[in-house]
Amino acid sequence: MPSITSLLILLNILVYALALATGPDIIRVFALWPPGAGGGFHLWQLVTYSFLHGSLLHLGFNMFAIWMFGAALEKRWNDLRYLLTYLLSVVVAAMTQIAVSGYFVQATGPVIGASGGVFGLLLAYALYFPNRVISLIFLPFIQIPARRFVLGYGLVELFLGVTNTGQGVAHFAHLGGLFGGWLGVQYFRGRGVFGQR
């Protein structure tokens, strides 16, 4: 497994173990607290929230996705490009959730999890490997090309976010992660947000 992918997975596992040992204080300080969520916002939370997870299942799904999509991207890119794209996705996901929570959807608690970074990697994966087949864990007989999978998943997340379905899931952070991944790909391809630089 490539080095940055391994490091990200290891850090997430270590932070999860630390959170079990320290209790809720780590969430209060390092989770992302959007406006109205009941906690205090600090700048470092734009990154630190992504290393916290609410359950072993939450952690497992995100680490599996980092391994599945991130390892292929890291092998194609260099380490720095991969890490910067991941972190950009994490930060853009956090900023999107803050913006949406401040203006459209009332936040009910802190945001935690690596999903913003995962969605950024997923978008980049679909752009670089559009025809690779993705199988769903719980429905392995369904096989979808990566490009269609990302488009469908993005539309589902948008619908769930707009309808405020799935309480406790930061759907707009997922959408922000997709956008962050796209921005990273555009930047490293030498393009601006809307085309050539």
Side-chain angles (χ1 to χ4, degrees):
M1 191 160 48
S3 58
I4 301 298
T5 299
S6 301
L7 181 63
L8 286 172
I9 291 172
L10 180 61
L11 280 173
N12 277 278
I13 292 170
L14 289 174
V15 171
Y16 181 74
L18 182 64
L20 290 178
T22 60
D25 283 347
I26 196 168
I27 299 292
R28 183 177 51 79
V29 176
F30 295 108
L32 178 67
W33 293 90
F41 172 75
H42 301 284
L43 199 57
W44 61 76
Q45 294 172 1
L46 294 175
V47 173
T48 57
Y49 81 97
S50 68
F51 293 97
L52 297 166
H53 290 83
S55 69
L56 202 53
L57 188 63
H58 187 204
L59 174 70
F61 271 120
N62 280 338
M63 295 310 98
F64 177 76
I66 287 175
W67 167 76
M68 183 173 178
F69 304 115
L73 288 168
E74 188 177 355
K75 287 174 185 174
R76 176 152 186 161
W77 298 343
N78 61 53
D79 290 353
L80 183 61
R81 178 178 181 177
Y82 172 67
L83 181 60
L84 289 178
T85 301
Y86 178 82
L87 292 175
L88 178 64
S89 301
V90 164
V91 171
V92 173
M95 293 171 68
T96 304
Q97 189 65 30
I98 288 171
V100 169
S101 298
Y103 294 103
F104 302 110
V105 179
Q106 181 63 39
T108 56
V111 176
I112 57 173
S115 300
V118 165
F119 272 79
L121 295 180
L122 181 58
L123 187 281
Y125 184 89
L127 290 175
Y128 278 87
F129 310 105
N131 297 316
R132 282 202 187 168
V133 171
I134 295 175
S135 297
L136 304 179
I137 295 173
F138 46 90
L139 297 170
F141 53 89
I142 296 179
Q143 299 185 336
I144 308 168
R147 181 185 293 155
R148 277 193 229 160
F149 178 81
V150 171
L151 178 61
Y153 205 168
L155 290 173
V156 168
E157 286 293 329
L158 181 60
F159 173 78
L160 294 175
V162 169
T163 57
N164 203 18
T165 307
Q167 199 72 356
V169 179
H171 298 293
F172 287 102
H174 296 168
L175 292 169
L178 288 173
F179 184 55
W182 182 78
L183 287 175
V185 168
Q186 288 290 93
Y187 176 80
F188 285 110
R189 282 179 170 175
R191 300 173 185 168
V193 175
F194 299 109
Q196 294 293 331
R197 277 205 293 241

